[in-house]
């Protein structure tokens, strides 16, 4: 379920400049089931089922000051929610560069992102600059683990997808364009 709204909250008497606000919310539900997954628990005598269900409510909000064909300045806040997929929770074996083992307890990632930027038009030149900061909570990452096959085989070094405390991404991007006719 998703809802989004936008509204002009101010407009200059001259009709050029205006301030807009936007906001929205989304509810997501993810459910997955995989029967008889081998290697879920090193102490298990056989395969086990993986079944999980996650739901999340996220929102977004933003403001924008703009004048058509002159500038567009904005600030936005967005939340994110990503549930793990079945491959991340049930994989076991050589995946090409490593040996992975399943983690049926892998949970969803959540994020908060701030973004600010602007576009200025000085005909015939256009300049754009944007910056963002994204904080991810319970980020899905890999951790080294020791794994012993259920058949009692040799213990091996492997990796397993796990939720880490948090991750931080930030950056700036820019563009410069010119047009001559």
């Amino acid at each position: 379920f998703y809802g989004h709204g936008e509204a002009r909250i101010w407009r200059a008497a001259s009709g050029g400049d205006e301030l807009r606000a936007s906001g929205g919310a989304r509810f997501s539900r993810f459910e997955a089931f995989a029967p008889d997954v081998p290697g879920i628990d090193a102490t298990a005598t056989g395969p086990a089922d993986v079944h999980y269900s996650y739901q999340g409510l996220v929102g977004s909000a933003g403001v924008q000051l703009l004048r058509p064909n002159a500038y567009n300045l904005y600030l936005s806040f967005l939340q994110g929610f990503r549930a793990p997929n079945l491959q991340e929770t049930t994989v076991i074996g050589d995946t090409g560069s490593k040996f992975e083992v399943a983690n049926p307890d892998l949970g969803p990632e959540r994020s908060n992102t701030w973004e600010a930027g602007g576009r200025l038009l000085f005909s015939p030149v256009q300049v754009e600059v944007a910056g963002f900061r994204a904080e991810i909570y319970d980020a899905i990452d890999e951790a080294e683990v020791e794994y012993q096959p259920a058949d009692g085989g040799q213990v091996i070094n492997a990796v397993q997808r796990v939720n880490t405390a948090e991750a931080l991404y930030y950056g700036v991007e820019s563009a410069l364009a010119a047009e001559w006719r």
Side-chain angles (χ1 to χ4, degrees):
F1 298 102
Y2 178 76
H4 180 82
E6 243 181 70
R8 181 175 54 220
I9 56 177
W10 172 81
R11 187 171 194 169
S14 64
D17 297 327
E18 65 180 60
L19 184 63
R20 296 186 153 274
S22 63
R26 181 180 72 226
F27 176 77
S28 301
R29 177 173 161 68
F30 299 90
E31 187 168 347
F33 176 73
D36 301 326
V37 177
I40 291 295
D41 183 351
T43 62
T45 57
D49 294 346
V50 171
H51 184 222
Y52 59 86
S53 173
Y54 295 111
Q55 52 274 329
L57 179 64
V58 296
S60 64
V63 293
Q64 178 183 32
L65 177 64
L66 61 102
R67 173 180 281 185
N69 300 316
Y71 60 83
N72 178 0
L73 306 173
Y74 65 91
L75 174 66
S76 61
F77 174 74
L78 306 133
Q79 292 182 308
F81 172 85
R82 184 183 84 83
N85 60 47
L86 270 177
Q87 187 272 338
E88 290 173 315
T89 58
T90 62
V91 67
I92 183 164
D94 187 349
T95 58
S97 61
K98 59 195 165 248
F99 188 91
E100 288 192 57
V101 294
N103 182 358
D105 298 321
L106 191 61
E109 296 177 314
R110 296 178 183 275
S111 65
N112 291 325
T113 302
W114 287 94
E115 183 175 4
R119 179 176 55 217
L120 304 173
L121 179 62
F122 304 104
S123 190
V125 176
Q126 179 174 301
V127 177
E128 295 180 39
V129 176
F132 69 92
R133 176 187 170 94
E135 300 167 344
I136 301 176
Y137 304 96
D138 295 325
I140 295 175
D141 199 356
E142 294 178 349
E144 291 185 14
V145 295
E146 288 187 348
Y147 173 73
Q148 181 172 15
D151 65 4
Q154 179 181 353
V155 173
I156 61 170
N157 291 325
V159 296
Q160 184 179 56
R161 309 274 174 114
V162 296
N163 293 103
T164 62
E166 64 181 55
L168 174 65
Y169 299 96
Y170 55 89
V172 175
E173 56 187 51
S174 63
L176 176 64
E179 180 179 331
W180 282 274
R181 297 177 190 214

